[in-house]
Amino acid sequence: MDATATATPFSTLIRVASHAQHTEAETSTFMSDLLGGRLGVDAYTRYTEQLWFVYRALEGASESLRGNPVAGPFIRRELERTPELERDLRHLRGAGWRTGLEPLPATAAYAARVEECARDWPGGFVAHHYTRYLGDLSGGQIIRDRAEKTWGFARKGDGVRFYVFEGIANPAAFKRSYRELLDRVAADDLEKQRIIDECKRAFDFNGAVFRELGAQFPLSA
C-alpha cells in the first residue's frame, strides 16, 4: 500500500478491493434463480445446510480468539448464527436434520480455510468474519424477504431465523461500528493488504459454493 492508500479508511479499502468478487458471488446463477423465486424450497434448504458448515467453523473458533488483539474485538455474541441455523434446519429437515448432512466439496474447502485462519492467522479470520457477517446484515435480508414470500415462512420465523439478528436493534449503526473496528484493526499496511487478499478469497469460496449448488439445482430442473 502506498501513502495515499494508507490515508483511506481500511473499511473502504477492503470494500472497494473486494467489490468485483462480491458482485460475482451475489449475482451467481444459483443465487439469481433463488432470489427470482425460480427454485424450490429444497434448493433453499441445501443452501442453508452449507451455511451451517461454514458458521460452525467460524464460530467454533470464536472463544479461543476472544482475547486476540487482532480478531478479538470482532467477536460479538449478538452476531452468532449457528443456533439460528440449527433451528432453521430443524424446521426445514425435521428433528433428525443432522442425518445424512454433508457439505459440498466447495463448502468443505471453505470451512477448512476458515478453521486454518482461526488457528494460524487472526487477520485472515477477520477477513472471513467481515465477509460473512456484514453480508448477512445487508444482502442476507433480501434472501429472508424472498424466502418468506416464496415458501410461506412466517415473517422472521422458523426457516429464516438465520437472517434475524435479535440482539442488534439498529443494523445500520452496528455496521458503522463494525467498520470503525476495521479502521482500527491492529495490523500494519502489509498485513492489511493480506487481509484484503483473504477477503477476496472468501468471496471466491462463496462463489464456488454457489456454482456447485447451481449444478445441483439447474433452472431446467
Side-chain angles (χ1 to χ4, degrees):
M1 291 185 179
D2 57 24
T4 304
T6 306
T8 304
F10 182 50
S11 59
T12 301
L13 290 174
I14 198 169
R15 175 177 54 81
V16 172
S18 61
H19 178 73
Q21 284 87 350
H22 187 181
T23 300
E24 182 178 350
E26 68 181 5
T27 57
S28 68
T29 300
F30 174 79
M31 190 53 66
S32 296
D33 288 343
L34 192 72
L35 293 178
R38 295 184 291 274
L39 294 175
V41 71
D42 53 338
Y44 175 78
T45 299
R46 189 72 170 126
Y47 173 54
T48 305
E49 293 169 7
Q50 304 315 300
L51 290 174
W52 179 75
F53 287 104
V54 174
Y55 280 87
R56 189 176 61 164
L58 196 62
E59 294 174 358
S62 294
E63 216 42 58
S64 64
L65 287 168
R66 196 173 293 278
N68 183 273
V70 176
F74 295 89
I75 307 299
R76 307 282 291 272
R77 293 198 185 280
E78 60 267 39
L79 286 172
E80 292 178 359
R81 299 290 87 201
T82 303
E84 282 71 25
L85 278 166
E86 294 182 353
R87 187 169 174 176
D88 285 341
L89 288 171
R90 193 172 298 112
H91 180 75
L92 292 164
R93 299 184 94 240
W97 63 269
R98 290 177 187 262
T99 304
L101 197 65
E102 293 287 342
L104 293 166
T107 305
Y110 186 3
R113 179 57 181 170
V114 171
E115 290 172 346
E116 180 184 8
C117 288
R119 183 176 62 248
D120 302 329
W121 179 30
F125 178 84
V126 169
H128 288 280
H129 195 277
Y130 159 79
T131 302
R132 289 271 22 134
Y133 291 108
L134 253 62
D136 300 332
L137 281 164
S138 301
Q141 302 312 305
I142 299 172
I143 300 175
R144 176 185 63 79
D145 182 66
R146 174 55 63 188
E148 289 169 354
K149 291 177 179 175
T150 304
W151 301 299
F153 298 127
R155 178 169 167 76
K156 297 186 178 182
D158 289 349
V160 293
R161 296 281 180 186
F162 168 71
Y163 302 102
V164 181
F165 291 79
E166 292 184 343
I168 299 176
N170 187 332
F174 185 91
K175 286 186 284 187
R176 283 195 299 272
S177 68
Y178 190 103
R179 294 186 182 102
E180 289 168 1
L181 283 178
L182 281 173
D183 294 338
R184 298 194 302 269
V185 69
D188 60 20
D189 284 353
L190 181 60
E191 176 68 354
K192 286 178 179 178
Q193 185 58 57
R194 291 183 68 217
I195 294 172
I196 287 172
D197 291 341
E198 187 65 24
C199 180
K200 294 178 181 179
R201 189 174 183 181
F203 280 117
D204 287 342
F205 275 119
N206 276 287
V209 172
F210 289 148
R211 283 192 296 275
E212 291 188 6
L213 284 166
Q216 282 199 346
F217 298 95
L219 187 54
S220 58

